Amino acid sequence: FYFRQKEDKTEDNKSTLENPPRSRSEPVKEEWAVNIDIKTPVEDFYKRIPDMAYKWPFELDVFQKQAILHLENHDSVFVAAHTSAGKTVVAEYAIALSLKHVTKTVYTSPIKALSNQKFRDFKQTFEDVGLITGDVQLNQKASCLIMTTEILRSMLYNGSDVIRDLEWVIFDEVHYINDAERGVVWEEVLIMLPQHVNIILLSATVPNTLEFADWIGRTKRKKIYVISTMKRPVPLEHYLYTGNSGKTSNELFMIVDNKKNFLTTGYSKAVDAKKERASKMSQNFGAKGVRGGHPNQDKNVWISLIDMLKKKEKLPVVAFTFSKKKIDENAENLRSLDLTTQSEKSETHIFFHKSIARLKGNDKKLPQVLKMEEFLKRGIGIHHSGILPILKEVVELLFQKGLVKILFATETFAMGVNMPARTVVFDTITKHDGTSRRELHPGEYIQMAGRAGRRGLDTTGTVIILCKGDVPEMSVLHKMMLGKPTSLESQFRLTYSMILNLLRVEQLRVEDMIKRSFSEFHSQKDVKKHKEALDEIHAKLQCIKNIECFLCSMDLERYYEACRDFHSLKSHLQGIVLSHPTAIKLLTAGRVVVINNSNHSNVLGVVLNSNMGTKKERIFNCLVICEKNSSTKSDLTKGDSSELVQPIVTTNLFQPEGPCWHELIQVKAEDISVVTVKTIRIDPDKIVNDIKKRQQPRFKDDPVGQSVSIATQELLRLTEANQEGLPGLDPVKDLHIRDVELVEQFRSLKMLEESLTKYQCLNCPRFMEHFTQISHNMKLKEDYKRLKFLLSDESLTLLPEYQQRIQVLKELNYIDDNNTVQLKGRVACEISNHELMITELVFENALTDLHPTEIAALLSCVVFEQKNCSEPKLIDTLVKGKERILEIAGRISALQRRFGMQVQGEYEEVFKFGLMEVVFEWAREITGLTDVQEGIIVRCIQRLHETLRDVRNAARIIGDPVLYRKMEEASSMIKRDIQNVFKIHI
């Protein structure tokens, strides 16, 4: 039995679904993200806040005043501004407010260097400041706590007391959420922060601030006030430098002025300068001289550049180079350069030795320390991850004092560390991002270029790109300098640690975490709309009545389903077949086809030509016959009426009732129901030109051209002679399709079509009326089912992966059948990286029998990341330990594959054993054992210390005093000098 609904209600409801009310289709951004106007000055600022929590010795900008007004109202804000624009003012005011309200503020940053710098800065402004990173815990009860985002996440999972008294959380460098590895941590923290905590987001300028703020506001159910400023405190001027010697040191060409105008004349001059030199070199050295390059070319470029900048008083300079090796080479090449006065040398000497005084005697003589002292005395600094942390801090502080005149640095130096220079130089504008070499993105370039220009000291900042080889393409430079920065994008992914922590604390389901992520934001923000549509459809379904017909009650629904399956399979096969090379060859000018879509039913047409559309679909231009005065919509923009399933009944070819006319239409492959065996001789170009000409008002009354007339008459003749239809090309015989699966599907389609004539409902005198009703009703049911799916957890993109990870955890006994976290799971929650591997090592007693130094050496493989380093010499116990780790990794990898997880690369390849020997021998000597730079070793040791602490906590949970004691011992053995190597003040 079937339900029947009144026709007027169906139409009414259909139009509601096709054209939803205006309020629902309007963007809802304003509901949660409020864009603040910063063009108008805040005249009554000091009246509105007579008693400010903190005052600065300078007048605030409009965007800063607007942000402070909202902080005073306990609002959450998102401030997007260029580097050095003064975003820190907003953070400082929030800290001052929390001190006034006797609450707490947490300042989080993506990198430890920035955390350490902010600790130094805020400590000078506010006394009650603490620092918590993986290796340092200072004044943990302070009102203002500076920490990495990972520490804050850990506090949220463990229900720390700090969270209870928290008023503000400041997220600095929010654009770091795009980081593939760690971006997920930011999303976790933003989702889990309690309702009473207000959020301050500080970011470089990004295009989708409103979208991101809308997501946070929707997730936290509070308005986020977006304050964006494109104003740069010190405008930038961008140059190309083509010089390579003292004679050519003035070859500096401006290509973007301080008003952001791209100067093509400057670009052309740079290209000409390069060409002129190339022609001179070819005259002197032959054609090969142009490309050959001089072994000292880099050295000459840098010396000539620095000489020119010194004359123009453009020092200090930050030179961004995207390779540690290249930075060291550049610094070595400048050994002949001396940029400091005698008094500056003396100041540098005193400061350097005072700073490294805490190092042990041997460590003071490390090659890197001696080399750095020599460089710094001459005004040259180096800053990258291979440099010892204490030396990096010495470089930063000397740079702030103006004693470092040229600083060779990697991209990390531009990440939040507020150290502007007068000039920024790019050694190259390409970098390797871990996968391939590519040009810098606009956001990356602007972040680094923004270090040029010191507020209050320089009127403009100078940015220079070195053209050592060819001058970069104009389009590349234009896009990089003036293009849109990268949008904030979700890097949300599931990890075992996240799943176990959420299952353990039971405050938030894993499904809810996925739902609230930025990646699911667009599908989840339509939830309200989906619920309303679902209620509407549900009400309609309640109203429909039975179809009281004996014949139709027997098999009409089954007939409907068979028609639906037929249309679906035919459309699918049609798309495949018509993109087949043989079909494309046959579908050339003159091929007669049958067109079936919302505008044309069973109409004969002839193909004129075809081309690829914008969506990479093949579009066919066809001439079809029609009634003389018919008017149709474009065949490429179908109406929604075509969504209803049509019955498969034998219908004759369309034949005009009055005079036969023609029409030029564009159709897709799915609109061609039959590719017939017939072809007719035509001239496609003449046909197209004739019809297009007569579409112009002044030629509309011209007679039809002979080419069009002949083609139209031939189509009409074929229609009249073959009223029941023309035979089509056979996919196997004519199109030579040999794919077994496709041939089988064509056979199924044929059988399905034959079976459609045997249904009883076809004998009903009111069959078409009843079929239309059932189509409407079934469409409603399908829509209802689709909306129910969209509103359920099943629609979440990451749900299958979540279920696979749950299976892995059950198999390894981390959780039971009810998803309750077991002892192994509780241990894994304590581990910050490679939680499965370390937990398996602990529970298999792989570490208990080893000496503490061996444990430390073995676990270095989970923190060391460098790929290309010499193979270490290992003692037998370490060789066995390495084999054990690889065996466990293989087991976990096989388990993940068994449950269908898509994992990039082999799990075994994640572990790098290159530093095991160094860690083992750390107590005696480090520099002679490896080609890995000292800074990377120290960073690895520091991360290893954190891992050992995690394993110590794991030993406490499982009650293994032997392992606990060994972990304590291993920690103290490797940590012996780290405090001294790491920080000057901390």
Side-chain angles (χ1 to χ4, degrees):
F1 289 93
Y2 298 92
F3 299 102
R4 184 168 185 179
Q5 184 185 17
K6 288 180 186 174
E7 200 163 320
D8 59 339
K9 275 203 169 187
T10 308
E11 288 306 312
D12 177 56
N13 234 357
K14 184 167 171 289
S15 67
T16 307
L17 285 171
E18 287 174 9
N19 305 301
R22 182 181 164 82
S23 62
R24 237 190 284 149
S25 64
E26 279 178 351
V28 287
K29 280 182 178 172
E30 290 308 312
E31 189 182 341
W32 299 112
V34 183
N35 202 7
I36 300 299
D37 172 36
I38 59 155
K39 289 175 186 168
T40 317
V42 187
E43 302 288 357
D44 56 347
F45 178 71
Y46 296 105
K47 284 182 188 173
R48 288 163 75 177
I49 314 174
D51 182 24
M52 286 180 71
Y54 186 80
K55 289 177 182 170
W56 290 267
F58 52 84
E59 182 62 27
L60 298 176
D61 289 339
V62 176
F63 86 91
Q64 294 166 330
K65 288 179 179 177
Q66 285 285 10
I68 287 168
L69 285 171
H70 285 287
L71 295 189
E72 283 282 357
N73 291 336
H74 305 282
D75 294 328
S76 293
V77 296
F78 185 172
V79 181
H82 282 300
T83 308
S84 308
K87 296 188 289 282
T88 309
V89 162
V90 183
E92 286 173 341
Y93 199 80
I95 297 165
L97 272 179
S98 71
L99 289 167
K100 188 178 176 181
H101 300 156
V102 198
T103 54
K104 286 186 185 289
T105 298
V106 162
Y107 172 96
T108 79
S109 76
I111 48 175
K112 283 179 188 168
L114 184 53
S115 295
N116 294 327
Q117 194 211 353
K118 289 298 177 190
F119 175 71
R120 287 202 303 268
D121 294 349
F122 289 158
K123 190 92 175 127
Q124 288 172 1
T125 314
F126 313 98
E127 285 183 17
D128 197 15
V129 181
L131 176 67
I132 308 174
T133 60
D135 57 311
V136 178
Q137 289 82 39
L138 291 172
N139 196 11
Q140 294 182 56
K141 301 219 166 164
S143 299
C144 172
L145 286 171
I146 293 162
M147 60 182 73
T148 51
T149 323
E150 281 81 357
I151 300 285
L152 181 55
R153 175 180 62 173
S154 177
M155 284 181 168
L156 288 164
Y157 277 134
N158 296 320
S160 166
D161 289 342
V162 170
I163 307 298
R164 191 185 58 221
D165 303 325
L166 203 52
E167 183 179 6
W168 305 99
V169 172
I170 302 158
F171 293 91
D172 202 356
E173 305 291 326
V174 169
H175 46 274
Y176 206 81
I177 200 165
N178 285 350
D179 183 70
E181 192 62 36
R182 292 171 57 214
V184 58
V185 182
W186 293 61
E187 287 192 55
E188 277 182 84
V189 169
L190 283 163
I191 291 165
M192 289 193 298
L193 276 175
Q195 193 61 32
H196 71 269
V197 178
N198 289 316
I199 298 164
I200 296 170
L201 303 147
L202 307 176
S203 165
T205 49
V206 285
N208 60 335
T209 43
L210 279 173
E211 179 194 23
F212 191 72
D214 190 25
W215 165 65
I216 295 172
R218 196 172 294 279
T219 307
K220 308 313 296 179
R221 316 306 292 173
K222 60 170 76 174
K223 287 191 175 182
I224 309 288
Y225 292 87
V226 178
I227 299 159
S228 293
T229 174
M230 295 304 289
K231 186 189 168 191
R232 189 177 282 286
V234 182
L236 301 179
E237 292 176 340
H238 304 258
Y239 295 84
L240 293 177
Y241 181 72
T242 57
N244 66 355
S245 65
K247 288 179 184 176
T248 57
S249 65
N250 287 324
E251 287 184 9
L252 187 68
F253 306 101
M254 187 189 288
I255 53 164
V256 176
D257 65 18
N258 58 19
K259 293 192 172 96
K260 294 189 178 178
N261 300 312
F262 194 91
L263 311 174
T264 49
T265 50
Y267 180 82
S268 302
K269 284 177 186 172
V271 172
D272 293 343
K274 271 283 177 189
K275 277 183 185 170
E276 193 182 332
R277 186 160 332 122
S279 64
K280 279 182 185 174
M281 284 182 78
S282 60
Q283 284 168 18
N284 295 338
F285 305 105
K288 287 184 181 177
V290 182
R291 293 270 166 207
H294 195 273
N296 287 331
Q297 187 197 0
D298 266 24
K299 179 180 177 178
N300 295 339
V301 168
W302 279 109
I303 288 173
S304 69
L305 174 77
I306 293 164
D307 185 48
M308 180 268 292
L309 292 174
K310 194 176 176 184
K311 283 175 188 168
K312 292 191 174 185
E313 296 185 351
K314 292 285 185 184
L315 301 178
V317 178
V318 176
F320 286 109
T321 311
F322 307 111
S323 149
K324 295 193 285 284
K325 187 183 171 191
K326 192 80 178 138
I327 285 177
D328 294 339
E329 282 175 11
N330 285 341
E332 284 291 336
N333 281 339
L334 300 181
R335 280 194 172 274
S336 60
L337 205 65
D338 192 345
L339 300 168
T340 53
T341 62
Q342 206 54 47
S343 64
E344 285 174 332
K345 282 182 174 55
S346 172
E347 195 180 339
T348 302
H349 176 85
I350 293 164
F351 183 82
F352 188 86
H353 283 276
K354 187 180 170 187
S355 300
I356 65 163
R358 291 176 62 182
L359 290 180
K360 279 193 174 177
N362 290 343
D363 290 342
K364 285 178 189 171
K365 293 187 172 67
L366 282 171
Q368 197 178 84
V369 175
L370 299 173
K371 198 182 283 185
M372 187 65 83
E373 182 184 5
E374 189 227 321
F375 282 146
L376 289 171
K377 280 183 180 175
R378 291 187 287 108
I380 299 165
I382 298 174
H383 193 286
H384 59 67
S385 60
I387 303 298
L388 288 167
I390 191 169
L391 294 183
K392 274 205 281 191
E393 193 172 350
V394 169
V395 170
E396 287 168 16
L397 293 168
L398 286 172
F399 187 80
Q400 280 179 322
K401 287 171 180 281
L403 296 170
V404 171
K405 308 301 179 182
I406 176 157
L407 175 63
F408 291 100
T410 49
E411 194 176 353
T412 321
F413 184 78
M415 181 60 77
V417 181
N418 187 20
M419 291 180 195
R422 184 166 286 181
T423 306
V424 160
V425 175
F426 286 89
D427 184 68
T428 173
I429 55 163
T430 62
K431 68 177 241 187
H432 199 281
D433 59 6
T435 338
S436 60
R437 181 158 285 282
R438 60 166 175 82
E439 270 105 20
L440 295 176
H441 292 146
E444 293 169 331
Y445 177 81
I446 290 300
Q447 175 91 9
M448 288 180 268
R451 294 288 157 212
R454 299 162 303 173
R455 195 169 188 171
L457 294 173
D458 305 323
T459 49
T460 56
T462 305
V463 184
I464 298 171
I465 293 171
L466 300 187
C467 303
K468 295 177 184 174
D470 293 334
V471 177
E473 289 289 329
M474 191 190 291
S475 58
V476 170
L477 293 170
H478 194 282
K479 184 185 173 187
M480 188 177 71
M481 293 171 173
L482 302 172
K484 265 190 176 180
T486 313
S487 294
L488 296 175
E489 287 174 14
S490 177
Q491 300 297 332
F492 188 85
R493 67 181 197 284
L494 290 170
T495 62
Y496 291 111
S497 178
M498 182 200 295
I499 292 169
L500 288 166
N501 272 302
L502 289 171
L503 292 174
R504 180 174 60 88
V505 297
E506 296 180 352
Q507 287 178 339
L508 188 70
R509 292 186 319 137
V510 180
E511 293 90 338
D512 291 330
M513 176 70 92
I514 299 170
K515 264 184 194 170
R516 293 177 192 182
S517 70
F518 191 35
S519 59
E520 290 284 343
F521 167 58
H522 291 291
S523 56
Q524 291 302 312
K525 77 174 187 176
D526 291 331
V527 164
K528 190 180 173 188
K529 194 163 79 175
H530 291 332
K531 280 180 179 171
E532 287 173 6
L534 192 73
D535 291 342
E536 276 182 30
I537 293 171
H538 186 261
K540 283 184 183 183
L541 289 170
Q542 297 300 315
C543 296
I544 53 181
K545 295 175 184 175
N546 300 352
I547 293 174
E548 294 172 3
C549 171
F550 175 72
L551 286 170
C552 290
S553 67
M554 294 170 75
D555 55 13
L556 182 60
E557 187 167 351
R558 279 188 288 119
Y559 176 76
Y560 167 85
E561 286 168 355
C563 287
R564 183 191 60 201
D565 294 345
F566 176 82
H567 283 302
S568 172
L569 183 57
K570 186 171 183 181
S571 175
H572 167 67
L573 290 173
Q574 204 73 352
I576 293 172
V577 167
L578 295 184
S579 60
H580 193 274
T582 315
I584 291 167
K585 280 181 191 172
L586 291 169
L587 273 166
T588 48
R591 176 65 60 183
V592 177
V593 292
V594 179
I595 307 290
N596 252 314
N597 59 27
S598 56
N599 297 328
H600 296 90
S601 179
N602 253 24
V603 176
L604 219 54
V606 61
V607 175
L608 302 176
N609 54 46
S610 70
N611 55 284
M612 293 305 286
T614 49
K615 294 179 182 175
K616 296 193 176 173
E617 291 178 293
R618 189 161 284 280
I619 305 294
F620 298 91
N621 291 307
C622 299
L623 179 79
V624 294
I625 54 172
C626 63
E627 300 285 359
K628 181 147 190 185
N629 296 316
S630 68
S631 62
T632 57
K633 289 181 269 179
S634 164
D635 287 71
L636 293 178
T637 55
K638 297 188 213 173
D640 286 343
S641 58
S642 61
E643 286 181 16
L644 289 177
V645 172
Q646 301 300 318
I648 308 298
V649 286
T650 50
T651 52
N652 292 340
L653 288 174
F654 164 79
Q655 191 173 340
E657 290 176 7
C660 181
W661 196 242
H662 52 265
E663 189 182 356
L664 184 64
I665 63 169
Q666 286 189 323
V667 293
K668 296 176 186 173
E670 63 204 54
D671 300 326
I672 299 173
S673 58
V674 182
V675 180
T676 73
V677 292
K678 295 280 184 186
T679 57
I680 57 177
R681 193 187 289 271
I682 58 162
D683 188 332
D685 292 338
K686 277 187 180 177
I687 291 173
V688 171
N689 293 337
D690 181 60
I691 293 174
K692 285 189 174 174
K693 179 189 168 189
R694 285 183 288 110
Q695 284 171 350
Q696 295 173 40
R698 63 184 178 138
F699 298 117
K700 67 182 172 98
D701 297 327
D702 279 15
V704 177
Q706 190 182 10
S707 56
V708 177
S709 182
I710 292 169
T712 307
Q713 289 307 313
E714 187 60 22
L715 287 172
L716 182 62
R717 188 190 66 74
L718 283 170
T719 302
E720 288 169 346
N722 303 276
Q723 268 293 287
E724 291 184 4
L726 285 161
L729 293 172
D730 186 276
V732 179
K733 291 176 187 170
D734 299 315
L735 301 181
H736 311 300
I737 286 174
R738 298 285 179 262
D739 187 296
V740 179
E741 197 178 330
L742 271 180
V743 172
E744 201 56 48
Q745 284 180 322
F746 274 111
R747 192 172 287 131
S748 299
L749 187 71
K750 190 80 178 160
M751 287 165 65
L752 195 55
E753 190 173 18
E754 286 167 3
S755 73
L756 285 167
T757 57
K758 298 169 184 173
Y759 285 84
Q760 291 296 321
C761 57
L762 292 169
N763 300 316
C764 172
R766 295 168 64 193
F767 166 74
M768 282 307 291
E769 182 191 336
H770 291 169
F771 187 86
T772 305
Q773 280 181 245
I774 196 73
S775 291
H776 276 289
N777 296 349
M778 295 302 281
K779 177 84 169 60
L780 282 174
K781 287 179 183 177
E782 285 162 14
D783 285 348
Y784 187 81
K785 195 174 172 184
R786 179 179 60 83
L787 289 167
K788 283 286 273 186
F789 170 76
L790 288 174
L791 289 167
S792 71
D793 291 343
E794 302 299 315
S795 67
L796 298 173
T797 316
L798 288 171
L799 193 74
E801 189 194 333
Y802 168 55
Q803 290 162 342
Q804 290 157 356
R805 284 182 183 266
I806 285 287
Q807 296 279 17
V808 171
L809 291 171
K810 282 179 180 172
E811 189 76 14
L812 292 169
N813 297 318
Y814 285 68
I815 54 175
D816 64 14
D817 291 337
N818 301 317
N819 289 358
T820 306
V821 178
Q822 303 300 294
L823 181 61
K824 271 178 99 172
R826 291 214 314 278
V827 167
C829 286
E830 294 292 321
I831 314 294
S832 55
N833 66 338
H834 295 297
E835 53 277 358
L836 293 193
M837 170 58 72
I838 293 172
T839 305
E840 291 302 307
L841 286 170
V842 169
F843 275 82
E844 289 184 14
N845 283 330
L847 305 174
T848 313
D849 298 333
L850 298 176
H851 187 271
T853 54
E854 293 168 345
I855 297 173
L858 201 59
L859 290 178
S860 69
C861 72
V862 301
V863 293
F864 184 53
E865 292 171 348
Q866 191 165 318
K867 291 174 187 172
N868 309 318
C869 63
S870 52
E871 193 67 29
K873 296 170 189 170
L874 303 176
I875 58 171
D876 287 347
T877 48
L878 290 182
V879 171
K880 285 177 188 170
K882 177 181 173 181
E883 287 166 0
R884 185 80 170 268
I885 284 172
L886 290 172
E887 185 257 320
I888 293 170
R891 231 166 44 222
I892 293 169
S893 195
L895 199 58
Q896 292 185 145
R897 278 198 300 272
R898 195 176 108 203
F899 290 115
M901 273 179 67
Q902 301 292 317
V903 184
Q904 281 188 338
E906 292 297 322
Y907 188 46
E908 297 94 312
E909 293 169 7
V910 172
F911 304 99
K912 305 283 184 289
F913 300 93
L915 216 60
M916 284 170 74
E917 186 188 9
V918 174
V919 173
F920 187 67
E921 301 289 352
W922 172 254
R924 282 195 298 145
E925 180 190 11
I926 61 164
T927 50
L929 292 170
T930 179
D931 51 4
V932 180
Q933 288 179 310
E934 293 94 321
I936 290 172
I937 295 170
V938 169
R939 195 174 57 165
C940 178
I941 295 282
Q942 175 235 347
R943 288 182 64 202
L944 179 58
H945 174 72
E946 293 170 31
T947 302
L948 294 174
R949 202 177 59 217
D950 291 344
V951 179
R952 184 197 66 190
N953 293 341
R956 177 177 49 78
I957 291 169
I958 62 169
D960 186 340
V962 176
L963 184 60
Y964 185 90
R965 197 173 59 252
K966 285 186 176 181
M967 287 298 113
E968 288 270 86
E969 206 178 320
S971 283
S972 60
M973 288 171 91
I974 68 155
K975 193 75 174 167
R976 58 176 182 87
D977 267 345
I978 290 289
Q979 287 93 339
N980 298 336
V981 171
F982 251 84
K983 287 289 151 241
I984 300 168
H985 302 306
I986 299 168

